[in-house]
Structure formats: structure tokens, C-alpha cells
Amino acid sequence: MTATWILGAAGVALLLLGPRLRHAGWVERSPKLAIGLWQALCLSAVAVPVLMGLTLLVPATVWVTDIAGWVHACAQSIQDAYGFHGDSLEPAIGLLISAATVAWTVGWVTVEAIGAHRDRRRVRDSLALISAADPRLGVHVVQAAAPAAFCVPGRSAQVVITSGALEVLTPAELAGVLAHERAHLNARHHIAVVLSQSLQRAFPHVGLFATATAQTRRLIEMAADDSAVQRVDRLSVASAIVRLASMQAPGAAFAMAGGAATHATTARVGRLLAPALPLERGRQGMVLVGVAALVGVPLLVTVAPTVVAALNHLCAVSF
Amino acid sequence: MRPFGDLEAAIMQVLWDRGEPATVRDVLGSLQTPKTLAYTTVMTVLDNLHRKNEVTREMHGRAWSYRPLRSRAEHSAALLQGVLQDAGDPGAVLMHFVADLDPAVVTQLQQAVRAAQTEKDTPA
């Protein structure tokens, strides 16, 4: 039972402390690392209840004999290490927690992924009727005066830009816009968004997932800007953002997400104009250790009693 | 707003390319389709387009002459707007280069970028 309680405490800590990552100052300095950390937080928050269920379930099943064989211990000592007393209720609860969490999560991720895939295909089909490929730029151009640039990810991903945007952007600004959009596609940013968003839909009362989704949307823009400034100077990327923003008529999207979007774009321009150095090597390493720990520690806690039983080689025979 | 069907799109392309009113026979003459279409087919499609308010028509002599109501650019701009409006989740379906912003903030950002450009052009 100790492992179960430790996992439970870890889960509560994740849900309470995880969302506070959004206040960390370094995330805007190394947005790619931060995206990884948010993904690890989400993964861990789902894995913990599944593993908790397993620590209740496995000692009661016939698998325990197999496991005992692999680690050269005996089933009884493994069961003791998990604090299993032959109670029939615990395994049932364990099975329920694990199976329900896995089924619910996988179900929602599948539904969201299929929905996004279908929406993207519909958008691509509609765009095919109004855009023409420009092989020189490697983009699809829509003949429309309103300036806009965006990408549609997925299997036949494409970058789309309007003729209005092509007219107003300088060559350097255009190169920055295209590099930004290609960075989204190459890094498969949409997968990070779909995953955290699926969890948000699956567990709407868990603040961690809502925060992770909002932060991921914000950070992927900064990560794509970082890729763009490897192609063109920072100022051109900043002026491209401001030029296109100034020519867009605030539409329905603004009314819905105006505040957050405005804040995110202001932050993007700010870090392009006054760049902070990326996180130092040592602190990058610490974040990577954090990512590994978020995924690894719950697994270790789950298998620890088995390992202990194996190391002790003890067979607590009780009559 | 619904996108055109294949035949509708082909006929609209002919009308846009001509730039002047066209009769059913004119359209039939300019259409590049794998197999030759019947006069009545083209007439029906043009009639549908008229009903959908995509073309206007006038009687010239004994035949209707059709003209697009909107330019090609206006049409694709309206379609694009429709696509963007019901694209679904931002980030999962498509990713914009810039979001819609508060105009007051845009002005501030413009000033900041201009200041940075001036600073860069005139090094101290």
C-alpha cells in the first residue's frame, strides 16, 4: 500500500503545483524545453492514477507468480511488499481505476485526433478550390486582399498566404513568416496541442490540463519565432508580426480570445526586440532531468516493492 | 458560403477569364473538360449559379448573357473568411502567424518596432 499512497501524494502534488510552471520566467527563454515539460506534466498526471490502480491490482493476480519468477523472488514476498493482505476489494478498485483512466483518456485522445484530422481535411479541401501552389515559395497563395498567413498541419501539410500579405511584406519579413510557419509543421506542434487539449476535454475540472493547453498554444508561437530568427534577423520577424496584425480587421476571433491573444503577441514582439539568452546549459539539463523524473519516478515507485522483494530474496512463508 | 462544385467552378473560371458577358454557347466553346458537355447541361448550371446569386444575366437578342456578380478575388476572399471562421480548434487545425489584436496594442507595438529599427540604423 505504501507505493499506492506515495503515488497518490505525487498525483496531488502534480495537480496542485504543476500549473505554477506558467509563472516561471525561464519558459519564454527556452520555449521548446517548456513545451516538453508541459507534455511530461500531462503524461505524468494521467500515468499516476493508472499506476496506482496497478499497485492495488497486480499483487492479487496470477501475474504475480510470473513476476516472481522473473525477479527470482516468491509471490508471497512481492505481495507482502505491496502490502497485499488477500483483501478482495482492493484489486477490484485497482482494476477500476486503471482501466477507467486508460479507456477514458485513450477514448478522448482518439476522438479529438479524429476530429482535428477531419477538420483539417475539410479546410484543405476548401483551400484547394481557392488557392494555387507557388512552387518558387513553396506555399499556397489565395488571391485575397486581406493579409493573412497560416499553416494547416497534418499529412499533406501546407503553408497558406494571401496575395494581400505577399504585397505588404518585405522580402525579409516574408522569409520570416514562412520560416515561422514551416517550423510549426516540422516540429509537429499540432500534436502537442491536440494531446493537452484532449486531456482538457477528458478532465474538464483538472486545471493542470487547461493551463497546459493555453501555455502550449502560447509557447509554440515563441518556439516558431525562435526558428524564424535563425533564417532572418529578429527585427524582420517582429515587424512582420506587427505589419500583419495592423492590417487585420479585428473579427469574431478577437472577441472570443482577444485578451489572451493580445497578451501572447505582445510577449512575442517583446522577446524579439529585447532577446534574453536561452537558458544556460546547466539549467537546460535540470529541466531535462525534471522531464525524465516526471515520467520515470512514478514508474519506479510502482515497481519498487517488486525490486525490494527481489533484492531480499526472502520468502516470507507464513502458516 | 458553399464552395462551387467542379462544373460550377469550371464555368465560373470561364466567366472570370472572359471579363465580359457570355452566353451559354460562349461558355460551351471555352470550357476545357475531358468530354464535351451538352448545351443543356451548361445552361442548367448557369441557371443554378444565377439562382444562387453568383451570376447576373441580361437578355441579349434571343439568348441570356451571364456575368459574375463578384470578382474572382472577392469570391476567394469570402471563401477564405468562411474557411478561417469554421476551421475548428486553433493549433490543432491551423496555426495563424498572428492573432487578431486590440488596435490600441497594435499601435504600441508598431512604435516599439519602429524605435528598434531606428536604433539599429543609427548605431550610437
Side-chain angles (χ1 to χ4, degrees), chain A residues 179-271:
Chain A
H180 174 104
E181 295 304 325
R182 289 200 185 103
H184 279 317
L185 301 180
N186 291 340
R188 307 268 191 284
H189 282 154
H190 64 288
I191 294 178
V193 174
V194 168
L195 281 178
S196 60
Q197 187 171 274
S198 306
L199 295 178
Q200 186 188 352
R201 298 263 162 83
F203 306 98
H205 300 295
V206 178
L208 172 66
F209 299 137
T211 310
T213 306
Q215 289 296 309
T216 303
R217 288 217 175 104
R218 177 186 165 93
L219 289 165
I220 59 173
E221 297 307 327
M222 296 183 175
D225 284 342
D226 286 353
S227 299
V229 299
Q230 294 180 348
R231 288 295 191 80
V232 296
D233 62 304
R234 312 185 76 91
L235 219 48
S236 296
V237 180
S239 68
I241 294 174
V242 173
R243 196 182 300 280
L244 290 185
S246 70
M247 301 184 71
Q248 280 179 351
F254 171 66
M256 275 162 56
T262 299
H263 189 255
T265 307
T266 311
R268 273 174 71 191
V269 174
R271 65 194 284 282

Side-chain angles (χ1 to χ4, degrees), chain B residues 3 5 15 18 27 29 32-33 36 43 54 66 69 72 82 92 96 105-106 114-116:
Chain B
L15 292 178
R18 278 178 68 94
V27 171
Q32 306 280 341
T33 44
T36 316
M43 190 171 73
E54 295 291 347
Y66 295 87
L69 255 172
R72 202 193 308 247
H96 280 277
V105 174
V106 172
R114 216 167 292 143

Side-chain angles (χ1 to χ4, degrees), chain A residues 44-254:
Chain A
S44 193
V46 175
V48 162
V50 176
L51 294 172
M52 273 176 80
L54 287 183
T55 58
L56 292 177
L57 171 68
V58 167
T61 60
V62 286
W63 302 332
V64 78
T65 327
D66 296 336
I67 297 171
W70 296 332
V71 300
H72 306 292
C74 73
Q76 176 78 57
S77 62
I78 291 181
Q79 287 179 336
D80 285 347
Y82 279 98
F84 177 68
H85 308 298
D87 190 328
S88 64
L89 198 59
E90 277 175 19
I93 294 173
L95 179 65
L96 190 69
I97 295 175
S98 289
T101 309
V102 169
W104 188 252
T105 306
V106 170
W108 273 95
V109 171
T110 310
V111 166
E112 289 289 311
I114 291 174
H117 179 80
R118 198 190 48 223
D119 287 351
R120 287 195 297 264
R121 196 174 53 200
R122 201 187 60 227
V123 166
R124 274 199 300 268
D125 287 349
S126 307
L127 285 171
L129 298 170
I130 55 173
S131 68
D134 182 330
R136 194 174 51 86
L137 291 173
V139 298
H140 290 255
V141 178
V142 178
Q143 295 296 327
F150 55 93
C151 64
V152 188
R155 209 166 293 159
S156 35
Q158 51 182 246
V159 177
V160 183
I161 192 162
T162 63
S163 55
L166 286 178
E167 274 167 32
V168 299
L169 293 171
T170 67
E173 288 170 348
L174 175 62
V177 171
L178 299 186
H180 174 104
E181 295 304 325
R182 289 200 185 103
H184 279 317
L185 301 180
N186 291 340
R188 307 268 191 284
H189 282 154
H190 64 288
I191 294 178
V193 174
V194 168
L195 281 178
S196 60
Q197 187 171 274
S198 306
L199 295 178
Q200 186 188 352
R201 298 263 162 83
F203 306 98
H205 300 295
V206 178
L208 172 66
F209 299 137
T211 310
T213 306
Q215 289 296 309
T216 303
R217 288 217 175 104
R218 177 186 165 93
L219 289 165
I220 59 173
E221 297 307 327
M222 296 183 175
D225 284 342
D226 286 353
S227 299
V229 299
Q230 294 180 348
R231 288 295 191 80
V232 296
D233 62 304
R234 312 185 76 91
L235 219 48
S236 296
V237 180
S239 68
I241 294 174
V242 173
R243 196 182 300 280
L244 290 185
S246 70
M247 301 184 71
Q248 280 179 351
F254 171 66

Side-chain angles (χ1 to χ4, degrees), chain B:
Chain B
M1 187 172 144
R2 283 170 52 84
F4 292 128
D6 286 346
L7 194 49
E8 286 178 335
I11 289 176
M12 287 304 290
Q13 296 299 351
V14 169
L15 292 178
W16 279 321
D17 287 344
R18 278 178 68 94
E20 57 182 37
T23 61
V24 174
R25 199 159 294 284
D26 295 333
V27 171
L28 200 53
S30 314
L31 260 183
Q32 306 280 341
T33 44
K35 56 179 183 197
T36 316
L37 293 168
Y39 180 91
T40 49
T41 309
V42 176
M43 190 171 73
T44 308
V45 176
L46 276 168
D47 198 45
N48 287 341
L49 286 169
H50 179 251
R51 202 160 32 76
K52 291 180 190 170
N53 259 331
E54 295 291 347
V55 298
T56 165
R57 63 182 180 189
E58 282 172 43
M59 189 61 94
H60 281 276
R62 293 177 55 200
W64 290 109
S65 273
Y66 295 87
R67 191 162 51 82
L69 255 172
R70 288 182 295 185
S71 72
R72 202 193 308 247
E74 285 167 345
H75 174 75
S76 60
L79 268 183
L80 178 65
Q81 205 183 1
V83 170
L84 297 183
Q85 264 165 12
D86 59 24
D89 292 312
V93 177
L94 59 81
M95 288 173 265
H96 280 277
F97 182 67
V98 272
D100 286 345
L101 292 190
D102 183 343
V105 174
V106 172
T107 312
Q108 282 176 17
L109 292 179
Q110 271 173 323
Q111 287 164 354
V113 169
R114 216 167 292 143
Q117 279 166 339
T118 318
E119 199 177 308
K120 188 184 146 204
D121 293 341
T122 54

